[in-house]
Structures are given as C-alpha cells and as structure tokens.
Amino acid sequence: MIDIRTSRLRLRELVPEDIDPLADMLADPEVMRFSVGGVRDRAGTQQFLDWCRDCYRDVGVGPWALELADTGDFVGFCGVGPETVADREEINLGYRLARRYWGRGLATESVRAVLSEAFEQRRYDSVIAIVEPDHVASIRVIEKAGFGPGREADFSGHRVRLFRLYRERWCDLTDTDRAI
C-alpha cells in the first residue's frame, strides 16, 4: 500500500470510492484534450480504475490518487506503470489533474514524488513519458523533472513525443538539489 506525502499532496492507491471524482475529471474535454484515449465515460473510467488496481496487484505500481494533504480533496492521479512502446515494455509516467487544480505546481510536485519512488525505492533504470507534441504545459513539467529533450514517436496511431529519464541522471539532479 503506497502512502507518499509532499508538502501539499498525499499520493495513495486509487480505490473504488474514487470513481465519482475520477469520472468527472476524465469526462472533462479540456482535461482530456491531449489524451491519446480521449474523453472517458463512466464505464471507461471504471476500466481505467480496474487497470490501475490490477497494476498495483501485479507490479506494485500504477497511477496513484492525488489528494490535497490538508483537506483530502481529490486532485487527480500521478504514477508510473507498464506500457508497451515499440514492442518493448517500459515504465511510463502518467498524470492528470482536475482542471481547477491547474497552474498551482501540483503536477510538478506529484511527478517529483513519483520519480523519487520509482528511482530511489523501486530502482527502475529509466522512466519514459509519452506526451502529445502540442501539450506545452505537460512538456514543461517533464522538462522540470529532468527528462531529456524527447523524440518524435508513434504511439497507438498518434504522433507523440517520447521522453526518457535515467536513474543516474535523476540521482545527479537530486544530489544537486540537496547540496543547494
């Protein structure tokens, strides 16, 4: 069971009781504008929730719920999970925030917490991020986290930018942060 705390967030496993706020978020066309899968209805949200819970059981990671630490309000999700890219299984970073939480630095905060878990606790060699080329805000989050410049790739029939961050670079970046 995961329970990660940051200064403003709590990251935990998604649970069946998250279906309502998760479904509201995934049904918002603005939130899902850059999603390869597009807007999800409630059944699609349930499939996503089931997949997340299967990931926790099978590989020990997956998209984790984000909630405000002081109120418990549902913010969105962030986590890493298995993704097949060009016939290779990768560990992919994914996140999504409800629109009312945009522009507060919460995506960057949650991504850093997830990457810390991925590299320092799970000891993954690398993590990828798949981002729609026009999703400028998401690219900024990825770059702030230390990912390289990315390259164009095909993913599920879409042109995307594929970014990669290696554990060694993450450790170098976080050692620098601690030294400051």
Side-chain angles (χ1 to χ4, degrees), residues 75-137:
V75 172
F77 65 80
C78 183
V80 294
E83 188 72 66
T84 302
V85 178
D87 297 324
R88 179 178 168 186
E89 185 163 293
E90 300 275 5
I91 297 299
N92 179 49
L93 172 70
Y95 52 92
R96 189 99 47 228
L97 274 64
R99 194 178 342 170
R100 71 178 180 268
Y101 297 105
W102 292 0
R104 299 184 192 182
L106 295 172
T108 299
E109 189 173 325
S110 64
V111 163
R112 286 183 175 148
V114 165
L115 290 173
S116 178
E117 174 72 16
F119 289 126
E120 296 168 23
Q121 304 303 316
R122 309 287 173 164
R123 309 286 297 162
Y124 291 125
D125 290 328
S126 71
V127 172
I128 64 164
I130 302 166
V131 182
E132 290 281 337
D134 295 332
H135 198 336
V136 175

Side-chain angles (χ1 to χ4, degrees), residues 23-45:
D24 289 345
M25 183 181 73
L26 298 181
D28 183 335
E30 275 303 301
V31 170
M32 301 303 285
R33 180 174 166 205
F34 295 106
S35 171
V36 171
V39 171
R40 290 181 179 258
D41 60 13
R42 191 169 181 90
T45 300

